[in-house]
Amino acid sequence: MSDQSVWGAELYDTLVDGGVSIFAYVPDGGHKVMIQKSLEDDRVHSIPLTTEEEGVALTAGADLGGKKSVLLMQSSGTGNCINMLSLQANGGFPFLAIITMRGTYGEQNPWQVPMGMAVRPCLEAIGVHVLEVEREDELKDVTNAAMNLAFRSDRAVAILLTQKFIGAKAF
Amino acid sequence: MTETIEITGSNQRMDRAQAVPAIVGNHRDFLIVTGLAGTAQDMYAIEPDADNCFLLGGAMGASVSMGLGLALARPDKHILVMCGDGELLMNVGALATVMASGVTNMSILCVDNERYGETGNQITHTSMGTDLALTAKGLGIKNVMTVTAPDEIEAGRKELRRADGPTFVYLKISDAKPPKMSSRNFNAADRRIAFRRAQLGHL
């Protein structure tokens, strides 16, 4: 398990260095550092959503306007996104989601498990490339790989921050 | 000026094919995102494949959020979202997000026929008491106007162009099923590239 104040800052800086200027998010403990940094940063827009699927559409609109954006969300919101990802599948819109995982490694809340287990197959079924981060030392490389795939190759990509990496919430 | 618009339908409201182009006016004043069905047809009838418009063909509920992304990315332009009542009801929280974002360069024209036109003209919640203008106001949209009569169209057309948005114009129209229009271009990749080439000057 890693220190979020360290990896959250590294991930945030990697995204901003890669040209991301819009952060759309659904509040999540695993994204606390990135959300806070985006709120305090005048160079970027930080947009709170009421549901994850808004973010799928918002990022496509940002692309029409020539800006790079990212969706920060938890695994439980994946199911909310699936039909909206028709936009990316049909339109070739770039898409980058950073998803903190629940319901897998070490989960203590059974309500998180069904969606947690379904994240990868659901995303892959609608055409999203799924990359995983299990260790802090691979975070930057995976993020840059995902940004290339999304913004240079016009693909939909999700980075899963696994519970091996971020830890499982204690109850 | 009072627009000449027929009153039709069981709800005795303005004819869609006349009211929507009248309230939009010169569509080149905006970058436009439309919903997937009726409003896409409305826009297609105004100008097929206009390169300042992106017409959804699915992803129901996307239009307001997509317009918001565009508004954030293009502060130099005024963004118009045209959506039906069914489309908006599917993701009505998006209006709260528009408010929270702080954008001012965005207007939403909700074209309310009180019907799900694509699926057999079934009634929507707005025919049973839901008022989406009150909803927009309650979710924090700054400027809200309801347009129900031809003599209000001109004011609505001006309202959509307010620089101090976000603005929500609620256009109540006839529930009569409009005639089927010619088939539109459903290729989203083609329309994305055409939009970006025209508006950004590159792929």
Side-chain angles (χ1 to χ4, degrees):
Chain A
M1 181 174 165
S2 310
D3 179 354
Q4 191 187 149
S5 65
V6 176
W7 67 255
E10 183 187 23
L11 178 52
Y12 183 80
D13 290 342
T14 304
L15 291 166
V16 172
D17 290 347
V20 171
S21 64
I22 299 172
F23 289 75
Y25 66 90
V26 174
D28 172 60
H31 283 312
K32 193 175 171 187
V33 169
M34 286 219 290
I35 290 168
Q36 194 58 36
K37 286 184 78 73
S38 71
L39 286 167
E40 292 167 354
D41 188 346
D42 290 340
R43 298 170 299 173
V44 307
H45 294 288
S46 185
I47 310 296
L49 310 167
T50 68
T51 177
E52 292 80 0
E53 69 173 329
E54 286 179 32
V56 178
L58 189 153
T59 62
D63 171 76
L64 283 182
K67 296 292 185 193
K68 294 173 184 161
S69 56
V70 67
L71 170 58
L72 309 181
M73 54 180 273
Q74 188 187 98
S75 53
S76 53
T78 304
N80 299 346
C81 296
I82 298 302
N83 183 55
M84 205 61 95
L85 285 161
S86 305
L87 264 175
Q88 283 72 15
N90 267 352
F93 289 95
F95 174 71
L96 178 57
I98 315 264
I99 303 176
T100 53
M101 287 304 297
R102 295 291 307 270
T104 55
Y105 190 80
E107 181 63 51
Q108 296 177 36
N109 178 356
W111 290 89
Q112 290 284 352
V113 176
M115 192 68 242
M117 290 179 65
V119 165
R120 179 183 275 274
C122 285
L123 288 173
E124 289 179 343
I126 197 73
V128 178
H129 294 260
V130 179
L131 308 176
E132 290 191 352
V133 173
E134 294 203 332
R135 299 188 319 273
E136 191 165 346
D137 64 8
E138 62 187 7
L139 178 63
K140 191 167 182 173
D141 280 350
V142 172
T143 306
N144 281 320
M147 284 196 289
N148 283 337
L149 200 47
F151 301 126
R152 290 179 184 264
S153 293
D154 291 341
R155 301 294 155 166
V157 188
I159 298 175
L160 308 186
L161 303 181
T162 66
Q163 285 172 291
K164 265 189 188 169
F165 171 49
I166 60 174
K169 185 175 178 179
F171 284 87
Chain B
M1 181 180 106
T2 300
E3 315 281 340
T4 313
I5 295 171
E6 288 176 74
I7 304 300
T8 65
S10 71
N11 57 355
Q12 284 295 286
R13 294 205 191 274
M14 291 182 283
D15 173 72
R16 172 177 207 133
Q18 297 167 39
V20 175
I23 201 164
V24 170
N26 180 4
H27 71 84
R28 292 282 168 187
D29 292 345
F30 306 105
L31 299 182
I32 298 176
V33 176
T34 79
L36 72 167
T39 50
Q41 299 256 10
D42 293 333
M43 187 57 229
Y44 198 80
I46 292 170
E47 183 185 332
D49 291 341
D51 59 18
N52 60 326
C53 305
F54 188 88
L55 280 51
L56 288 162
M60 188 168 178
S63 64
V64 172
S65 303
M66 201 164 174
L68 174 57
L70 184 53
L72 291 165
R74 292 300 302 265
D76 56 323
K77 296 284 187 181
H78 198 100
I79 312 307
L80 175 64
V81 171
M82 297 165 60
C83 61
D85 45 317
E87 157 83 9
L88 185 60
L89 283 163
M90 189 156 279
N91 232 336
V92 76
L95 293 175
T97 302
V98 169
M99 174 278 295
S101 76
V103 295
T104 56
N105 60 326
M106 181 170 177
S107 298
I108 297 147
L109 173 65
C110 180
V111 179
D112 182 7
N113 63 349
E114 304 179 353
R115 292 289 187 278
Y116 292 103
E118 276 298 295
T119 54
N121 240 24
Q122 298 93 341
I123 57 172
T124 67
H125 306 61
T126 63
S127 75
M128 298 179 250
T130 296
D131 183 330
L132 289 170
L134 287 176
T135 305
K137 197 75 192 166
L139 291 174
I141 298 298
K142 184 173 173 228
N143 313 308
V144 177
M145 176 186 282
T146 298
V147 173
T148 57
D151 63 2
E152 298 165 344
I153 289 278
E154 187 178 8
R157 192 163 55 229
K158 286 183 180 155
E159 190 77 0
L160 288 175
R161 288 165 170 77
R162 283 181 70 148
D164 62 337
T167 297
F168 183 90
V169 173
Y170 193 34
L171 179 67
K172 298 289 286 188
I173 56 156
S174 169
D175 61 8
K177 192 156 174 58
K180 197 74 182 167
M181 295 186 210
S182 60
S183 99
R184 41 169 285 229
N185 181 350
F186 278 100
N187 188 321
D190 172 70
R191 301 319 307 153
R192 168 182 177 253
I193 288 169
F195 188 105
R196 282 175 54 99
R197 273 199 208 284
Q199 303 305 328
L200 302 172
H202 59 80
L203 184 63

